[in-house]
Amino acid sequence: MRILLLSQFYPPVIGGEERHVRNLGAALAQRGHHVAVGTSVHPGSPDTEMDGQVRVHRLRGTLQRLSGLHADAERPHAPPFPDPELALALRRLIVAEQPDVVHAHNWIYASLLPLKALGGPPLVITMHDYGLSCAKKNFMHLGQQLCGGPIPAKCLTCAGRHYGAVKAAATTLGNWATGFAARRMVDRFIPVSHAVARHTGLVEGSAPYEVIPNFVPDDVGVLAAEEACVRELPEGEFILFVGDMMRLKGIHVLAEAHSQLERAPPLVLIGRRAPDTPAVFASNVRVMGTWPHSAIMHAWRRSLFGVLPSVGPEACATVVMEAMASGKTVVASDIGGMPDLIDPDETGLLVPPGNAAALAAALQRLIDDRALLGRLAAAATARVKGLKATAVVSRIEQVYQEVARPSVNGMRALEAAGEVPCP
């Protein structure tokens, strides 16, 4: 099949979603598919290049040029409504690549919907977050508690705290309109967890969907050459947290819980600092900052176990899979997509989100009971086989086969709008 993946960011911009799209493209190409990626421009990267067997096209959008609109100038997010320049670039790309199916990730799909209305190729959207129903994508009301569902006045107030009034209005209203259209035009949604399906309204609605989790490569547990930063890890046992060091990830809860432990191994934190990252940590907490992925995998292999105490509903934490693929169990919050990945008291431990005492008790339990720790780690290693590329990508291929259909009329409609060279 000819498959076009769309992602607002792609390496060298690195994050969980970007790594997923890259891994998916590589896995599909290895299975004999013709794969191309459409993504946003990135300074220093060519407009078109080969990433292994995958051709990468970098596209320009009008809103990307307005750097003042974006909190992070290095990551100018696609808007939740059609960007005219980006829509034009996508039309050119589809005419050039002639895909049998387009598989979009995140809000970049909004600029594709006008083309879909012309009858273009089948469209599949993977929902890596709650953006179909939440303008902030995290489904947290005012950043403090799990949202009960979208209500216009509530959403505008909540988004206003995050974006500011003007940007919040455009983002929220645009997202509602686009979401309404998407539910009627998209051929298949792929929420990455049951929580995403539930909180985006797919469960109660009529839009076709199938829950398929993120995945890790089959060889994710094979360690590359050791990076110099790995030598900064403690010599002995340590507990490992990987992720942005922010309140939404529960970093403040983790710091409090770790301080309550008896005979506590060091706590190692690997990830980006955020504005709400604690300024000071206890002496037995090692803050490493951002590391290369290969070094993180070394850290997982050397750790005692992992911890992910998010207070927000993580959609589908790839970091949990990477820990399991390294033979480690994880203590995580019982929220979002965590229950899809962790079987309580079988492959890991789940605790109520935001409860430092419960988190401390779970951590202490694994520190004190090494037989339990070993049993959970062994079960986690077996469980992750179903979360690797071989198992998951075949399910995505099946979706492609189910939605693919002759789209000659749609392609002719796009070409009639003015065939032009690929950007």
Side-chain angles (χ1 to χ4, degrees), residues 211-249:
V211 176
I212 301 178
N214 293 332
F215 65 90
V216 288
D218 292 331
D219 62 351
V220 67
V222 179
L223 298 180
E226 187 173 295
E227 304 269 355
C229 56
V230 175
R231 293 195 289 270
E232 301 175 23
L233 293 171
E235 291 293 332
E237 297 177 338
F238 60 89
I239 301 169
L240 181 59
F241 167 92
V242 176
D244 291 342
M245 291 179 277
M246 58 196 305
R247 291 185 68 87
L248 196 63
K249 297 281 189 178

PDB file of all heavy atoms in Angstrom, residues 211-249:
ATOM      1  N   VAL A 211      -9.515   0.967  19.543  1.00  0.00           N
ATOM      2  CA  VAL A 211      -8.438   1.270  20.480  1.00  0.00           C
ATOM      3  C   VAL A 211      -7.220   0.434  20.115  1.00  0.00           C
ATOM      4  O   VAL A 211      -7.272  -0.802  20.121  1.00  0.00           O
ATOM      5  CB  VAL A 211      -8.854   0.986  21.934  1.00  0.00           C
ATOM      6  CG1 VAL A 211      -7.679   1.211  22.883  1.00  0.00           C
ATOM      7  CG2 VAL A 211     -10.038   1.863  22.333  1.00  0.00           C
ATOM      8  N   ILE A 212      -6.128   1.103  19.782  1.00  0.00           N
ATOM      9  CA  ILE A 212      -4.850   0.443  19.494  1.00  0.00           C
ATOM     10  C   ILE A 212      -3.771   1.239  20.228  1.00  0.00           C
ATOM     11  O   ILE A 212      -3.636   2.448  20.005  1.00  0.00           O
ATOM     12  CB  ILE A 212      -4.538   0.399  17.989  1.00  0.00           C
ATOM     13  CG1 ILE A 212      -5.642  -0.344  17.231  1.00  0.00           C
ATOM     14  CG2 ILE A 212      -3.192  -0.265  17.738  1.00  0.00           C
ATOM     15  CD1 ILE A 212      -5.427  -0.396  15.726  1.00  0.00           C
ATOM     16  N   PRO A 213      -3.005   0.628  21.103  1.00  0.00           N
ATOM     17  CA  PRO A 213      -2.026   1.384  21.883  1.00  0.00           C
ATOM     18  C   PRO A 213      -0.829   1.810  21.052  1.00  0.00           C
ATOM     19  O   PRO A 213      -0.621   1.346  19.919  1.00  0.00           O
ATOM     20  CB  PRO A 213      -1.592   0.375  22.956  1.00  0.00           C
ATOM     21  CG  PRO A 213      -1.735  -0.950  22.275  1.00  0.00           C
ATOM     22  CD  PRO A 213      -2.978  -0.817  21.420  1.00  0.00           C
ATOM     23  N   ASN A 214      -0.036   2.704  21.614  1.00  0.00           N
ATOM     24  CA  ASN A 214       1.282   2.963  21.068  1.00  0.00           C
ATOM     25  C   ASN A 214       2.088   1.668  21.146  1.00  0.00           C
ATOM     26  O   ASN A 214       1.649   0.686  21.740  1.00  0.00           O
ATOM     27  CB  ASN A 214       1.987   4.062  21.855  1.00  0.00           C
ATOM     28  CG  ASN A 214       1.313   5.413  21.692  1.00  0.00           C
ATOM     29  OD1 ASN A 214       0.686   5.681  20.674  1.00  0.00           O
ATOM     30  ND2 ASN A 214       1.429   6.268  22.694  1.00  0.00           N
ATOM     31  N   PHE A 215       3.279   1.679  20.602  1.00  0.00           N
ATOM     32  CA  PHE A 215       4.102   0.480  20.656  1.00  0.00           C
ATOM     33  C   PHE A 215       5.572   0.870  20.756  1.00  0.00           C
ATOM     34  O   PHE A 215       5.940   2.040  20.582  1.00  0.00           O
ATOM     35  CB  PHE A 215       3.884  -0.392  19.412  1.00  0.00           C
ATOM     36  CG  PHE A 215       4.341   0.252  18.121  1.00  0.00           C
ATOM     37  CD1 PHE A 215       5.626   0.076  17.648  1.00  0.00           C
ATOM     38  CD2 PHE A 215       3.467   1.040  17.383  1.00  0.00           C
ATOM     39  CE1 PHE A 215       6.049   0.670  16.467  1.00  0.00           C
ATOM     40  CE2 PHE A 215       3.867   1.647  16.202  1.00  0.00           C
ATOM     41  CZ  PHE A 215       5.175   1.454  15.744  1.00  0.00           C
ATOM     42  N   VAL A 216       6.396  -0.110  21.067  1.00  0.00           N
ATOM     43  CA  VAL A 216       7.846   0.077  21.052  1.00  0.00           C
ATOM     44  C   VAL A 216       8.430  -0.862  20.007  1.00  0.00           C
ATOM     45  O   VAL A 216       7.841  -1.904  19.711  1.00  0.00           O
ATOM     46  CB  VAL A 216       8.467  -0.200  22.438  1.00  0.00           C
ATOM     47  CG1 VAL A 216       8.108   0.914  23.415  1.00  0.00           C
ATOM     48  CG2 VAL A 216       8.022  -1.559  22.987  1.00  0.00           C
ATOM     49  N   PRO A 217       9.571  -0.507  19.425  1.00  0.00           N
ATOM     50  CA  PRO A 217      10.178  -1.386  18.422  1.00  0.00           C
ATOM     51  C   PRO A 217      10.489  -2.763  19.003  1.00  0.00           C
ATOM     52  O   PRO A 217      10.704  -2.911  20.204  1.00  0.00           O
ATOM     53  CB  PRO A 217      11.461  -0.640  18.027  1.00  0.00           C
ATOM     54  CG  PRO A 217      11.190   0.789  18.371  1.00  0.00           C
ATOM     55  CD  PRO A 217      10.331   0.752  19.594  1.00  0.00           C
ATOM     56  N   ASP A 218      10.535  -3.757  18.139  1.00  0.00           N
ATOM     57  CA  ASP A 218      10.828  -5.115  18.586  1.00  0.00           C
ATOM     58  C   ASP A 218      12.189  -5.203  19.281  1.00  0.00           C
ATOM     59  O   ASP A 218      12.373  -6.000  20.198  1.00  0.00           O
ATOM     60  CB  ASP A 218      10.794  -6.081  17.401  1.00  0.00           C
ATOM     61  CG  ASP A 218       9.389  -6.244  16.832  1.00  0.00           C
ATOM     62  OD1 ASP A 218       8.415  -6.101  17.603  1.00  0.00           O
ATOM     63  OD2 ASP A 218       9.267  -6.502  15.619  1.00  0.00           O
ATOM     64  N   ASP A 219      13.138  -4.381  18.834  1.00  0.00           N
ATOM     65  CA  ASP A 219      14.493  -4.447  19.393  1.00  0.00           C
ATOM     66  C   ASP A 219      14.763  -3.358  20.427  1.00  0.00           C
ATOM     67  O   ASP A 219      15.917  -3.012  20.680  1.00  0.00           O
ATOM     68  CB  ASP A 219      15.528  -4.353  18.280  1.00  0.00           C
ATOM     69  CG  ASP A 219      15.463  -3.021  17.523  1.00  0.00           C
ATOM     70  OD1 ASP A 219      14.503  -2.244  17.759  1.00  0.00           O
ATOM     71  OD2 ASP A 219      16.355  -2.764  16.693  1.00  0.00           O
ATOM     72  N   VAL A 220      13.696  -2.813  21.031  1.00  0.00           N
ATOM     73  CA  VAL A 220      13.884  -1.692  21.954  1.00  0.00           C
ATOM     74  C   VAL A 220      14.772  -2.049  23.133  1.00  0.00           C
ATOM     75  O   VAL A 220      15.457  -1.193  23.702  1.00  0.00           O
ATOM     76  CB  VAL A 220      12.505  -1.183  22.457  1.00  0.00           C
ATOM     77  CG1 VAL A 220      11.821  -2.231  23.321  1.00  0.00           C
ATOM     78  CG2 VAL A 220      12.647   0.137  23.211  1.00  0.00           C
ATOM     79  N   GLY A 221      14.796  -3.306  23.537  1.00  0.00           N
ATOM     80  CA  GLY A 221      15.600  -3.714  24.676  1.00  0.00           C
ATOM     81  C   GLY A 221      17.052  -3.977  24.349  1.00  0.00           C
ATOM     82  O   GLY A 221      17.853  -4.246  25.259  1.00  0.00           O
ATOM     83  N   VAL A 222      17.417  -3.896  23.068  1.00  0.00           N
ATOM     84  CA  VAL A 222      18.810  -4.096  22.668  1.00  0.00           C
ATOM     85  C   VAL A 222      19.559  -2.781  22.873  1.00  0.00           C
ATOM     86  O   VAL A 222      19.245  -1.776  22.230  1.00  0.00           O
ATOM     87  CB  VAL A 222      18.909  -4.554  21.199  1.00  0.00           C
ATOM     88  CG1 VAL A 222      20.373  -4.727  20.794  1.00  0.00           C
ATOM     89  CG2 VAL A 222      18.136  -5.850  20.996  1.00  0.00           C
ATOM     90  N   LEU A 223      20.529  -2.786  23.762  1.00  0.00           N
ATOM     91  CA  LEU A 223      21.206  -1.547  24.127  1.00  0.00           C
ATOM     92  C   LEU A 223      22.250  -1.143  23.101  1.00  0.00           C
ATOM     93  O   LEU A 223      23.007  -1.977  22.605  1.00  0.00           O
ATOM     94  CB  LEU A 223      21.873  -1.691  25.496  1.00  0.00           C
ATOM     95  CG  LEU A 223      20.925  -1.962  26.673  1.00  0.00           C
ATOM     96  CD1 LEU A 223      21.723  -2.077  27.969  1.00  0.00           C
ATOM     97  CD2 LEU A 223      19.877  -0.867  26.794  1.00  0.00           C
ATOM     98  N   ALA A 224      22.289   0.157  22.792  1.00  0.00           N
ATOM     99  CA  ALA A 224      23.326   0.718  21.935  1.00  0.00           C
ATOM    100  C   ALA A 224      24.567   1.002  22.782  1.00  0.00           C
ATOM    101  O   ALA A 224      24.579   0.760  23.997  1.00  0.00           O
ATOM    102  CB  ALA A 224      22.808   1.998  21.288  1.00  0.00           C
ATOM    103  N   ALA A 225      25.602   1.518  22.147  1.00  0.00           N
ATOM    104  CA  ALA A 225      26.821   1.867  22.881  1.00  0.00           C
ATOM    105  C   ALA A 225      26.480   2.865  23.984  1.00  0.00           C
ATOM    106  O   ALA A 225      25.632   3.741  23.813  1.00  0.00           O
ATOM    107  CB  ALA A 225      27.852   2.446  21.921  1.00  0.00           C
ATOM    108  N   GLU A 226      27.144   2.731  25.093  1.00  0.00           N
ATOM    109  CA  GLU A 226      26.833   3.541  26.263  1.00  0.00           C
ATOM    110  C   GLU A 226      27.246   4.994  26.064  1.00  0.00           C
ATOM    111  O   GLU A 226      28.381   5.292  25.678  1.00  0.00           O
ATOM    112  CB  GLU A 226      27.525   2.959  27.491  1.00  0.00           C
ATOM    113  CG  GLU A 226      27.137   3.622  28.795  1.00  0.00           C
ATOM    114  CD  GLU A 226      27.717   2.899  29.997  1.00  0.00           C
ATOM    115  OE1 GLU A 226      27.318   1.740  30.223  1.00  0.00           O
ATOM    116  OE2 GLU A 226      28.575   3.492  30.682  1.00  0.00           O
ATOM    117  N   GLU A 227      26.315   5.916  26.307  1.00  0.00           N
ATOM    118  CA  GLU A 227      26.607   7.349  26.238  1.00  0.00           C
ATOM    119  C   GLU A 227      27.381   7.774  27.485  1.00  0.00           C
ATOM    120  O   GLU A 227      27.265   7.162  28.553  1.00  0.00           O
ATOM    121  CB  GLU A 227      25.306   8.148  26.159  1.00  0.00           C
ATOM    122  CG  GLU A 227      24.397   7.767  25.006  1.00  0.00           C
ATOM    123  CD  GLU A 227      24.678   8.580  23.763  1.00  0.00           C
ATOM    124  OE1 GLU A 227      25.519   9.495  23.840  1.00  0.00           O
ATOM    125  OE2 GLU A 227      24.064   8.282  22.720  1.00  0.00           O
ATOM    126  N   ALA A 228      28.131   8.861  27.351  1.00  0.00           N
ATOM    127  CA  ALA A 228      28.927   9.336  28.478  1.00  0.00           C
ATOM    128  C   ALA A 228      28.066   9.693  29.680  1.00  0.00           C
ATOM    129  O   ALA A 228      28.459   9.490  30.833  1.00  0.00           O
ATOM    130  CB  ALA A 228      29.761  10.543  28.044  1.00  0.00           C
ATOM    131  N   CYS A 229      26.839  10.205  29.430  1.00  0.00           N
ATOM    132  CA  CYS A 229      25.988  10.637  30.530  1.00  0.00           C
ATOM    133  C   CYS A 229      25.558   9.481  31.428  1.00  0.00           C
ATOM    134  O   CYS A 229      25.203   9.692  32.597  1.00  0.00           O
ATOM    135  CB  CYS A 229      24.760  11.370  30.007  1.00  0.00           C
ATOM    136  SG  CYS A 229      23.770  10.436  28.816  1.00  0.00           S
ATOM    137  N   VAL A 230      25.591   8.258  30.918  1.00  0.00           N
ATOM    138  CA  VAL A 230      25.181   7.113  31.718  1.00  0.00           C
ATOM    139  C   VAL A 230      26.064   6.962  32.949  1.00  0.00           C
ATOM    140  O   VAL A 230      25.625   6.451  33.986  1.00  0.00           O
ATOM    141  CB  VAL A 230      25.194   5.822  30.860  1.00  0.00           C
ATOM    142  CG1 VAL A 230      24.899   4.585  31.692  1.00  0.00           C
ATOM    143  CG2 VAL A 230      24.173   5.943  29.732  1.00  0.00           C
ATOM    144  N   ARG A 231      27.290   7.436  32.851  1.00  0.00           N
ATOM    145  CA  ARG A 231      28.216   7.329  33.992  1.00  0.00           C
ATOM    146  C   ARG A 231      27.786   8.200  35.169  1.00  0.00           C
ATOM    147  O   ARG A 231      28.324   8.076  36.269  1.00  0.00           O
ATOM    148  CB  ARG A 231      29.634   7.691  33.539  1.00  0.00           C
ATOM    149  CG  ARG A 231      30.234   6.690  32.551  1.00  0.00           C
ATOM    150  CD  ARG A 231      31.728   6.873  32.399  1.00  0.00           C
ATOM    151  NE  ARG A 231      32.053   8.091  31.675  1.00  0.00           N
ATOM    152  CZ  ARG A 231      32.185   8.163  30.352  1.00  0.00           C
ATOM    153  NH1 ARG A 231      31.987   7.074  29.598  1.00  0.00           N
ATOM    154  NH2 ARG A 231      32.495   9.300  29.754  1.00  0.00           N
ATOM    155  N   GLU A 232      26.818   9.099  34.939  1.00  0.00           N
ATOM    156  CA  GLU A 232      26.317   9.938  36.026  1.00  0.00           C
ATOM    157  C   GLU A 232      25.320   9.209  36.923  1.00  0.00           C
ATOM    158  O   GLU A 232      24.962   9.705  37.994  1.00  0.00           O
ATOM    159  CB  GLU A 232      25.639  11.188  35.451  1.00  0.00           C
ATOM    160  CG  GLU A 232      26.549  12.053  34.592  1.00  0.00           C
ATOM    161  CD  GLU A 232      25.791  13.200  33.943  1.00  0.00           C
ATOM    162  OE1 GLU A 232      24.724  13.583  34.470  1.00  0.00           O
ATOM    163  OE2 GLU A 232      26.239  13.692  32.894  1.00  0.00           O
ATOM    164  N   LEU A 233      24.876   8.029  36.509  1.00  0.00           N
ATOM    165  CA  LEU A 233      23.911   7.278  37.310  1.00  0.00           C
ATOM    166  C   LEU A 233      24.557   6.773  38.601  1.00  0.00           C
ATOM    167  O   LEU A 233      25.768   6.542  38.654  1.00  0.00           O
ATOM    168  CB  LEU A 233      23.374   6.088  36.508  1.00  0.00           C
ATOM    169  CG  LEU A 233      22.511   6.414  35.299  1.00  0.00           C
ATOM    170  CD1 LEU A 233      22.251   5.152  34.479  1.00  0.00           C
ATOM    171  CD2 LEU A 233      21.191   7.045  35.739  1.00  0.00           C
ATOM    172  N   PRO A 234      23.765   6.587  39.657  1.00  0.00           N
ATOM    173  CA  PRO A 234      24.298   6.029  40.897  1.00  0.00           C
ATOM    174  C   PRO A 234      24.916   4.652  40.661  1.00  0.00           C
ATOM    175  O   PRO A 234      24.489   3.906  39.767  1.00  0.00           O
ATOM    176  CB  PRO A 234      23.061   5.937  41.802  1.00  0.00           C
ATOM    177  CG  PRO A 234      22.099   6.925  41.239  1.00  0.00           C
ATOM    178  CD  PRO A 234      22.340   6.933  39.764  1.00  0.00           C
ATOM    179  N   GLU A 235      25.880   4.293  41.466  1.00  0.00           N
ATOM    180  CA  GLU A 235      26.552   3.011  41.325  1.00  0.00           C
ATOM    181  C   GLU A 235      25.630   1.844  41.665  1.00  0.00           C
ATOM    182  O   GLU A 235      25.669   0.796  41.037  1.00  0.00           O
ATOM    183  CB  GLU A 235      27.797   2.968  42.218  1.00  0.00           C
ATOM    184  CG  GLU A 235      28.916   3.885  41.762  1.00  0.00           C
ATOM    185  CD  GLU A 235      29.515   3.452  40.434  1.00  0.00           C
ATOM    186  OE1 GLU A 235      29.473   2.243  40.127  1.00  0.00           O
ATOM    187  OE2 GLU A 235      29.999   4.328  39.690  1.00  0.00           O
ATOM    188  N   GLY A 236      24.811   2.014  42.686  1.00  0.00           N
ATOM    189  CA  GLY A 236      23.956   0.923  43.133  1.00  0.00           C
ATOM    190  C   GLY A 236      22.529   1.057  42.637  1.00  0.00           C
ATOM    191  O   GLY A 236      22.258   1.581  41.555  1.00  0.00           O
ATOM    192  N   GLU A 237      21.588   0.587  43.446  1.00  0.00           N
ATOM    193  CA  GLU A 237      20.178   0.604  43.080  1.00  0.00           C
ATOM    194  C   GLU A 237      19.623   2.024  43.053  1.00  0.00           C
ATOM    195  O   GLU A 237      20.056   2.891  43.824  1.00  0.00           O
ATOM    196  CB  GLU A 237      19.376  -0.234  44.083  1.00  0.00           C
ATOM    197  CG  GLU A 237      19.749  -1.708  44.100  1.00  0.00           C
ATOM    198  CD  GLU A 237      18.973  -2.467  45.149  1.00  0.00           C
ATOM    199  OE1 GLU A 237      18.492  -1.815  46.121  1.00  0.00           O
ATOM    200  OE2 GLU A 237      18.823  -3.696  45.018  1.00  0.00           O
ATOM    201  N   PHE A 238      18.648   2.233  42.174  1.00  0.00           N
ATOM    202  CA  PHE A 238      17.951   3.515  42.151  1.00  0.00           C
ATOM    203  C   PHE A 238      16.569   3.330  41.544  1.00  0.00           C
ATOM    204  O   PHE A 238      16.319   2.386  40.778  1.00  0.00           O
ATOM    205  CB  PHE A 238      18.738   4.585  41.382  1.00  0.00           C
ATOM    206  CG  PHE A 238      19.014   4.257  39.940  1.00  0.00           C
ATOM    207  CD1 PHE A 238      18.112   4.610  38.931  1.00  0.00           C
ATOM    208  CD2 PHE A 238      20.189   3.602  39.579  1.00  0.00           C
ATOM    209  CE1 PHE A 238      18.372   4.316  37.608  1.00  0.00           C
ATOM    210  CE2 PHE A 238      20.452   3.294  38.244  1.00  0.00           C
ATOM    211  CZ  PHE A 238      19.548   3.652  37.257  1.00  0.00           C
ATOM    212  N   ILE A 239      15.654   4.231  41.888  1.00  0.00           N
ATOM    213  CA  ILE A 239      14.312   4.286  41.317  1.00  0.00           C
ATOM    214  C   ILE A 239      14.342   5.311  40.190  1.00  0.00           C
ATOM    215  O   ILE A 239      14.974   6.366  40.319  1.00  0.00           O
ATOM    216  CB  ILE A 239      13.280   4.689  42.385  1.00  0.00           C
ATOM    217  CG1 ILE A 239      13.299   3.692  43.542  1.00  0.00           C
ATOM    218  CG2 ILE A 239      11.879   4.776  41.794  1.00  0.00           C
ATOM    219  CD1 ILE A 239      12.507   4.151  44.756  1.00  0.00           C
ATOM    220  N   LEU A 240      13.670   5.028  39.092  1.00  0.00           N
ATOM    221  CA  LEU A 240      13.798   5.880  37.912  1.00  0.00           C
ATOM    222  C   LEU A 240      12.465   6.489  37.489  1.00  0.00           C
ATOM    223  O   LEU A 240      11.449   5.798  37.380  1.00  0.00           O
ATOM    224  CB  LEU A 240      14.375   5.067  36.749  1.00  0.00           C
ATOM    225  CG  LEU A 240      14.600   5.815  35.425  1.00  0.00           C
ATOM    226  CD1 LEU A 240      15.560   6.979  35.611  1.00  0.00           C
ATOM    227  CD2 LEU A 240      15.135   4.845  34.361  1.00  0.00           C
ATOM    228  N   PHE A 241      12.494   7.798  37.244  1.00  0.00           N
ATOM    229  CA  PHE A 241      11.388   8.539  36.636  1.00  0.00           C
ATOM    230  C   PHE A 241      11.898   9.128  35.336  1.00  0.00           C
ATOM    231  O   PHE A 241      12.951   9.774  35.307  1.00  0.00           O
ATOM    232  CB  PHE A 241      10.912   9.659  37.564  1.00  0.00           C
ATOM    233  CG  PHE A 241       9.996  10.671  36.895  1.00  0.00           C
ATOM    234  CD1 PHE A 241       8.624  10.502  36.919  1.00  0.00           C
ATOM    235  CD2 PHE A 241      10.516  11.795  36.242  1.00  0.00           C
ATOM    236  CE1 PHE A 241       7.776  11.423  36.300  1.00  0.00           C
ATOM    237  CE2 PHE A 241       9.685  12.720  35.626  1.00  0.00           C
ATOM    238  CZ  PHE A 241       8.313  12.533  35.667  1.00  0.00           C
ATOM    239  N   VAL A 242      11.142   8.946  34.237  1.00  0.00           N
ATOM    240  CA  VAL A 242      11.491   9.526  32.946  1.00  0.00           C
ATOM    241  C   VAL A 242      10.287  10.310  32.435  1.00  0.00           C
ATOM    242  O   VAL A 242       9.180   9.766  32.329  1.00  0.00           O
ATOM    243  CB  VAL A 242      11.886   8.441  31.919  1.00  0.00           C
ATOM    244  CG1 VAL A 242      12.153   9.073  30.561  1.00  0.00           C
ATOM    245  CG2 VAL A 242      13.112   7.679  32.394  1.00  0.00           C
ATOM    246  N   GLY A 243      10.490  11.582  32.133  1.00  0.00           N
ATOM    247  CA  GLY A 243       9.398  12.415  31.621  1.00  0.00           C
ATOM    248  C   GLY A 243       9.631  13.867  31.977  1.00  0.00           C
ATOM    249  O   GLY A 243      10.599  14.218  32.649  1.00  0.00           O
ATOM    250  N   ASP A 244       8.736  14.725  31.507  1.00  0.00           N
ATOM    251  CA  ASP A 244       8.822  16.141  31.863  1.00  0.00           C
ATOM    252  C   ASP A 244       8.607  16.289  33.367  1.00  0.00           C
ATOM    253  O   ASP A 244       7.657  15.728  33.927  1.00  0.00           O
ATOM    254  CB  ASP A 244       7.758  16.948  31.112  1.00  0.00           C
ATOM    255  CG  ASP A 244       8.030  17.024  29.620  1.00  0.00           C
ATOM    256  OD1 ASP A 244       9.183  16.759  29.214  1.00  0.00           O
ATOM    257  OD2 ASP A 244       7.099  17.334  28.864  1.00  0.00           O
ATOM    258  N   MET A 245       9.462  17.057  34.009  1.00  0.00           N
ATOM    259  CA  MET A 245       9.398  17.205  35.463  1.00  0.00           C
ATOM    260  C   MET A 245       8.411  18.314  35.831  1.00  0.00           C
ATOM    261  O   MET A 245       8.783  19.394  36.277  1.00  0.00           O
ATOM    262  CB  MET A 245      10.805  17.478  36.017  1.00  0.00           C
ATOM    263  CG  MET A 245      11.724  16.280  35.909  1.00  0.00           C
ATOM    264  SD  MET A 245      13.386  16.580  36.531  1.00  0.00           S
ATOM    265  CE  MET A 245      14.144  17.361  35.100  1.00  0.00           C
ATOM    266  N   MET A 246       7.124  18.027  35.645  1.00  0.00           N
ATOM    267  CA  MET A 246       6.083  19.014  35.851  1.00  0.00           C
ATOM    268  C   MET A 246       5.008  18.453  36.776  1.00  0.00           C
ATOM    269  O   MET A 246       4.919  17.254  36.999  1.00  0.00           O
ATOM    270  CB  MET A 246       5.473  19.416  34.508  1.00  0.00           C
ATOM    271  CG  MET A 246       4.883  18.252  33.742  1.00  0.00           C
ATOM    272  SD  MET A 246       4.576  18.587  31.974  1.00  0.00           S
ATOM    273  CE  MET A 246       3.544  20.029  32.043  1.00  0.00           C
ATOM    274  N   ARG A 247       4.174  19.349  37.303  1.00  0.00           N
ATOM    275  CA  ARG A 247       3.140  18.930  38.246  1.00  0.00           C
ATOM    276  C   ARG A 247       2.158  17.956  37.618  1.00  0.00           C
ATOM    277  O   ARG A 247       1.676  17.034  38.273  1.00  0.00           O
ATOM    278  CB  ARG A 247       2.390  20.154  38.790  1.00  0.00           C
ATOM    279  CG  ARG A 247       3.212  21.045  39.698  1.00  0.00           C
ATOM    280  CD  ARG A 247       2.366  22.171  40.292  1.00  0.00           C
ATOM    281  NE  ARG A 247       1.369  21.658  41.228  1.00  0.00           N
ATOM    282  CZ  ARG A 247       1.580  21.440  42.513  1.00  0.00           C
ATOM    283  NH1 ARG A 247       2.780  21.656  43.038  1.00  0.00           N
ATOM    284  NH2 ARG A 247       0.603  20.992  43.287  1.00  0.00           N
ATOM    285  N   LEU A 248       1.840  18.152  36.338  1.00  0.00           N
ATOM    286  CA  LEU A 248       0.901  17.262  35.677  1.00  0.00           C
ATOM    287  C   LEU A 248       1.421  15.827  35.654  1.00  0.00           C
ATOM    288  O   LEU A 248       0.643  14.874  35.662  1.00  0.00           O
ATOM    289  CB  LEU A 248       0.630  17.752  34.258  1.00  0.00           C
ATOM    290  CG  LEU A 248      -0.601  17.164  33.553  1.00  0.00           C
ATOM    291  CD1 LEU A 248      -1.880  17.545  34.281  1.00  0.00           C
ATOM    292  CD2 LEU A 248      -0.658  17.630  32.105  1.00  0.00           C
ATOM    293  N   LYS A 249       2.740  15.675  35.643  1.00  0.00           N
ATOM    294  CA  LYS A 249       3.360  14.344  35.685  1.00  0.00           C
ATOM    295  C   LYS A 249       3.518  13.843  37.126  1.00  0.00           C
ATOM    296  O   LYS A 249       4.053  12.755  37.346  1.00  0.00           O
ATOM    297  CB  LYS A 249       4.724  14.380  35.018  1.00  0.00           C
ATOM    298  CG  LYS A 249       4.698  14.722  33.540  1.00  0.00           C
ATOM    299  CD  LYS A 249       4.303  13.540  32.689  1.00  0.00           C
ATOM    300  CE  LYS A 249       4.487  13.848  31.204  1.00  0.00           C
ATOM    301  NZ  LYS A 249       4.141  12.683  30.351  1.00  0.00           N
TER     302      LYS A 249
END
